[in-house]
Amino acid sequence: MNLKLTKLSPNFLYQPSLMLVSVICLTAIISLISGCASHPPSTNTELDSAEKFVWPAPPEKPRIRYLGSLKSTESVTGEQKQSLRDWFLGKKEEERLVLAKPYGVHSDSKGRVYVADTGIAGLVVFDLEKKSMTYWGNTGPGALKKPTGVTSDAVGNVYVSDVIDHRVVVYDSEGKFQNALGGKDILDSPAGLVFNNKTQRLYVVDSKKHQIVVFNQEGEVDFTIGKRGADDGDFNFPTNIAMDKDSRLYVADTMNFRVQILDENGLYINSFGKLGDGRGHFSRLKGIGIDSEGHIYTVDAAFNNVQIFNQKGQLMLALGKSGTGPGGFYLPAGAHVDQNNRLFIADQLNLRIQMFEYLGDSD
């Protein structure tokens, strides 16, 4: 675009009174407007109306309620608007952090939500109690390249799988690097992971090796579960894993289009699911989580929804569809259900974590 410069009249330089009046008027206008806009009311329509979004829809009794989403610093600190005066005079804005491509998600008992973000190459930590958002794993020996899965243990250690470095990085509860497990001779493509506090074992899904690698409390490989195949206990590009209160394992056996249930030692218990595009079928199974009543939450990136099953593999409820609003998904991935029955879904291409709550089955 070409801008045309206009030559000012020489008389303009000899009109100080006009210039002074103009500056005074402009200053007064800016002061007046900025006084009204410096502290606007904090509004978040999505969160204010969150309770309106429930599944199933009325008049059925609601079982799942939408709680909101995590996208950026404002998600936990509240929306902050810049005044016209600050915009005009150029006040420096505070650092704003945002999600880029969230994949894995996990929450702990301290009100923190951890997001393995493949777009940022770091671990994003939302602290819902302290109302903060920070990054871990940006530099040093604990630097991450492509994090995919995240979990934590009872004492607060956080475990993050890194698919490029073929390892699991361990941080303490404050984000300080503690250790790294695996390596390219042990892990090829680590993805989902879960920690068993009773046995002090860490279960890591290795997608390309079609198995689960189990580490003991010394960080050594205790044993492995599975091999490539379609029989009971075999896997075909598994991606994610969850554990219930009885230490049973639930594995998203993605390219076998099924969920497999195993005991803590890897022995086969049951499985359900098949390829298809109907209710209860799977196409691109990703995240998986278990609530306190044993319901199994499965995320399908092709269907852009969450299907909820009972322990017999019967479909109880389907949640969500393609879209950008509450309950709308665009290539969802990881999932986690915490001890309070809150469901977290990594909504990848919507650049957010969506949060829901299981309300219970009792009438």
Side-chain angles (χ1 to χ4, degrees), residues 174-238:
E174 302 303 318
K176 182 180 179 181
F177 172 77
Q178 297 294 298
N179 196 9
L181 313 178
K184 62 181 180 180
D185 294 332
I186 297 175
L187 296 173
D188 187 348
S189 183
L193 63 174
V194 68
F195 193 88
N196 187 332
N197 288 293
K198 296 178 182 178
T199 62
Q200 294 295 297
R201 288 171 174 168
L202 177 69
Y203 297 79
V204 182
V205 175
D206 194 318
S207 292
K208 291 185 178 179
K209 283 192 173 182
H210 314 284
Q211 65 181 10
I212 300 169
V213 181
V214 185
F215 293 90
N216 59 28
Q217 56 186 341
E218 283 77 36
E220 301 170 342
V221 176
D222 205 351
F223 58 94
T224 62
I225 303 171
K227 58 179 175 49
R228 189 171 194 180
D231 293 336
D232 294 345
D234 291 342
F235 302 109
N236 191 19
F237 292 100

Side-chain angles (χ1 to χ4, degrees), residues 166-315:
H166 314 284
R167 65 176 185 166
V168 173
V169 181
V170 187
Y171 306 93
D172 67 11
S173 60
E174 302 303 318
K176 182 180 179 181
F177 172 77
Q178 297 294 298
N179 196 9
L181 313 178
K184 62 181 180 180
D185 294 332
I186 297 175
L187 296 173
D188 187 348
S189 183
L193 63 174
V194 68
F195 193 88
N196 187 332
N197 288 293
K198 296 178 182 178
T199 62
Q200 294 295 297
R201 288 171 174 168
L202 177 69
Y203 297 79
V204 182
V205 175
D206 194 318
S207 292
K208 291 185 178 179
K209 283 192 173 182
H210 314 284
Q211 65 181 10
I212 300 169
V213 181
V214 185
F215 293 90
N216 59 28
Q217 56 186 341
E218 283 77 36
E220 301 170 342
V221 176
D222 205 351
F223 58 94
T224 62
I225 303 171
K227 58 179 175 49
R228 189 171 194 180
D231 293 336
D232 294 345
D234 291 342
F235 302 109
N236 191 19
F237 292 100
T239 52
N240 292 286
I241 187 170
M243 178 180 290
D244 67 15
K245 59 186 178 182
D246 296 317
S247 299
R248 287 186 292 260
L249 303 170
Y250 299 77
V251 185
D253 192 3
T254 302
M255 296 310 295
N256 275 329
F257 311 102
R258 64 184 179 182
V259 172
Q260 290 208 64
I261 306 174
L262 315 170
D263 72 9
E264 62 185 81
N265 296 312
L267 297 179
Y268 175 84
I269 297 175
N270 192 18
S271 64
F272 63 88
K274 64 179 181 178
L275 175 63
D277 58 5
R279 291 173 57 84
H281 296 164
F282 297 123
S283 179
R284 199 174 175 185
L285 177 61
K286 289 289 185 178
I288 190 165
I290 313 297
D291 69 23
S292 63
E293 296 182 10
H295 301 115
I296 305 164
Y297 298 72
T298 62
V299 176
D300 199 299
F303 299 153
N304 287 312
N305 73 357
V306 181
Q307 296 186 93
I308 306 172
F309 298 85
N310 63 19
Q311 285 288 316
K312 296 180 180 180
Q314 298 170 324
L315 180 65

